[in-house]
Amino acid sequence: KISEVSAVLAKDDIKPKSICHAKKWSDEVENLYRFQQAGYRDEVEYKQVKQVDMVEYWPETGFVKKLQRKDNTFYYYNKQRECEDKEVHKVKVYVY
């Protein structure tokens, strides 16, 4: 998973080819939900905007732990799932 993101990051200013909305919850949808709550498309955009190499993840669950918004305030996330079923359809899944 990380190698895919790194490969995509090698190119400057990548734009997704397509977008769809999540149909059911998964670990990937959970992390996208967290990036989008913080104002980013996904991990690729977050790393480009914030100029960081690493995103902090919970080792137990693999979910995003902490993100910095564009206004420099931080979002801290729980180890457990935060994206409720009623929110899943709002999550945008980008294809590169």
Side-chain angles (χ1 to χ4, degrees):
K1 188 82 196 154
I2 292 169
S3 60
E4 283 176 43
V5 173
S6 298
V8 170
L9 275 176
K11 305 175 209 133
D12 283 344
D13 201 31
I14 316 105
K15 298 282 185 267
K17 288 189 195 101
S18 65
I19 174 178
C20 62
H21 286 268
K23 303 276 186 279
K24 64 182 182 36
W25 185 89
S26 69
D27 290 358
E28 180 190 10
V29 168
E30 178 67 35
N31 281 330
L32 284 170
Y33 173 77
R34 294 173 184 215
F35 281 109
Q36 290 168 19
Q37 257 196 332
Y40 301 94
R41 196 172 51 217
D42 52 22
E43 184 176 350
V44 174
E45 184 186 36
Y46 180 77
K47 285 181 172 180
Q48 283 177 333
V49 172
K50 286 295 165 195
Q51 299 291 302
V52 293
D53 295 328
M54 289 292 298
V55 175
E56 280 190 62
Y57 289 94
W58 288 105
E60 300 88 346
T61 59
F63 297 149
V64 173
K65 186 176 189 177
K66 174 179 88 173
L67 292 173
Q68 189 174 9
R69 293 184 354 183
K70 291 175 184 170
D71 65 3
N72 292 330
T73 56
F74 283 91
Y75 273 167
Y76 295 91
Y77 297 100
N78 294 322
K79 288 180 192 159
Q80 298 82 22
R81 172 181 176 176
E82 290 194 12
C83 179
E84 297 176 36
D85 284 335
K86 67 180 186 207
E87 301 288 320
V88 168
H89 73 282
K90 297 177 187 172
V91 176
K92 296 172 185 166
V93 180
Y94 295 91
V95 179
Y96 290 93

